[in-house]
Amino acid sequence: MRGITKTFPGVKALSGVDLTVRPGEIHAICGENGAGKSTLMKVLSGVYPHGSYDGEILFEGEPAAFKDIRDGERHGVVIIHQELALVPYLSIAENIFLGNEQTRRGFIDWNDTLRRAKALLQRVGLRENPQTPVSDIGVGKQQLVEIAKALSKEVKLLILDEPTAALNDEDSAKLLDLIVELREQGISSIVISHKLNEIRQITDTVTILRDGRTIESLTVRQTPAHEPELSEDRIIRGMVGRDLDHRFPARTPYEGADAGELALAVEGWTVRHPVDHQRTVVDDVSLTVRRGEIVGIAGLMGAGRTELAMSVFGRSYGQYVAGTVAVNGRPVVTKTVPAAVEAGIAYVTEDRKRYGLNLIDNINRNVSLASLPGMRRRGGLGGFVDEHHERQVSERYRASMNIKTPTVFEQVGRLSGGNQQKVVLSKWIHADPEVLILDEPTRGIDVGAKYEIYTVIDRLAAQGKAVLFISSELPELLGMCDRIYTMAEGRLTGEVTRAEATQEVLMRHMTQTRSTGSKS
């Protein structure tokens, strides 16, 4: 790719970007959210057709002028987006050959379809019946189905956009091993990822983008013995244009008169699965968060962290069985989401696109969603929003949260993941909650945007807010939290202070099962 420039109304997303990928290479693309990574790959794969951008693309030595994504696939360039493009109600086999059906005399040849699907699943290491509905398999297996789908199209260059963002450690390891196996089979891969440890583990070359421009390409493993391997700090320096000597901001203590008072107290909280009422997903959980305190919750996939957060926040998950909630020492009943908001609780969901934002609306309206009563016109009819005040508020958060957009009337769905997360935080911060529950607040976000969000969280705690911080990244919890609770199988298995906490200590608590007991 030479001199690729792509412009949207009011924004130059790419400016003269160069990229070279060698045959049989795993090539990583790194950059902050909004750097242009996904846009560049959409240009390469034909999502943005030839003629909608400036510059040239050569594939296997020949000029490539893909008119659409199907044209790119016919040449062997296949992209797997971060949001998987599978139909949940169709079978694995049907999804693999969707749009590429195996036919005979104008009819689908189901025997050939199932036979070929089984061979492709075996190639990606997935032991599932090809007739299994996609909705019945986990996200990790769905990623493998996407790769099997790409292999069915005789892929030569596989593009993966944040392939492990939604996967647990075990599924991530399997997927990375598969990408390496494909390299051994001569298939080149381009991987967009913010997980620098994974990049250093499997990739051959890293190209860094910043503000829509190519900064540099780096070899991950140096050939001469005296030269060190590429470090994470070196990649970060290229991504953000500066050294991040400290990945987390220094904690600013809250010094109000009520510092240390209980802001949130959850007692004996028990919730059953929304469908299988015999299954307990949150089991007799009790925890506290004080004013000005950041308290973490650590746990493996399925430990019950999100189920706990959602059920406390308006009982928006599962079947409530027992338990009480108190805010600032006052018992509250949070049977609905409005009741939880009224009680002073806010919840930033881990799935910002599904539950946190209205993607087809603009930043201005998304910021005001959780606090519409405060946006009413003064005087006259009270049922109308004061649009001037609404814009003042959204403009203030655009500046203070450093949301990278030319206007607050930009559609939220067009923003990068990091900027979308800042809009979600702005929405709930403006609601002025006493307790802020953050569920994976930095998932899918680069290190530069992470630091900005960490700074916002620290600022909220310094103002006396109580923060409950759920994360799958143990270094994040260790760097941000004053105390950390651990969960396993829906129960609390430990409570560790900042001074006592290490990854080893947390992992020991997180892996305790009912058979081993809750004591360490």
Side-chain angles (χ1 to χ4, degrees), residues 292-308:
E293 189 178 35
I294 302 175
V295 174
I297 301 182
L300 301 174
M301 294 289 286
R305 297 165 301 163
T306 295
E307 291 82 354
L308 169 65

Side-chain angles (χ1 to χ4, degrees), residues 71-93:
D71 193 16
E73 290 175 350
R74 280 192 292 270
H75 286 80
V77 180
V78 180
I79 184 170
I80 299 176
H81 297 280
Q82 184 175 355
E83 308 296 332
L84 300 182
L86 299 175
V87 182
Y89 303 110
L90 295 183
S91 69
I92 292 173

Side-chain angles (χ1 to χ4, degrees), residues 6 26 44-45 54 83 98 138 142 153 191 200 204 236 272 317 355 407 438 458 501 503 512:
K6 175 67 177 174
I26 300 176
L44 174 57
S45 61
D54 296 322
E83 308 296 332
L98 189 62
Q142 289 179 19
K153 300 169 183 174
V191 180
R200 294 179 65 247
D204 304 299
I236 291 170
R272 293 196 180 117
Y317 178 88
Y355 296 118
T407 169
L438 304 175
D458 178 69
Q503 291 197 48
Q512 289 175 3

Side-chain angles (χ1 to χ4, degrees), residues 340-356:
V341 175
E342 182 69 23
I345 303 174
Y347 173 55
V348 176
T349 170
E350 66 174 339
D351 190 345
R352 57 179 172 265
K353 292 188 176 183
R354 185 176 180 185
Y355 296 118

Side-chain angles (χ1 to χ4, degrees), residues 68 88 120 128 193 204 214 216 282 300 374 386 394 482 498 504:
D68 54 30
L120 288 166
E128 292 286 341
S193 179
D204 304 299
T214 305
E216 57 189 342
V282 180
L300 301 174
D386 184 338
S394 59
D482 302 301
R498 186 186 186 100
E504 292 76 15

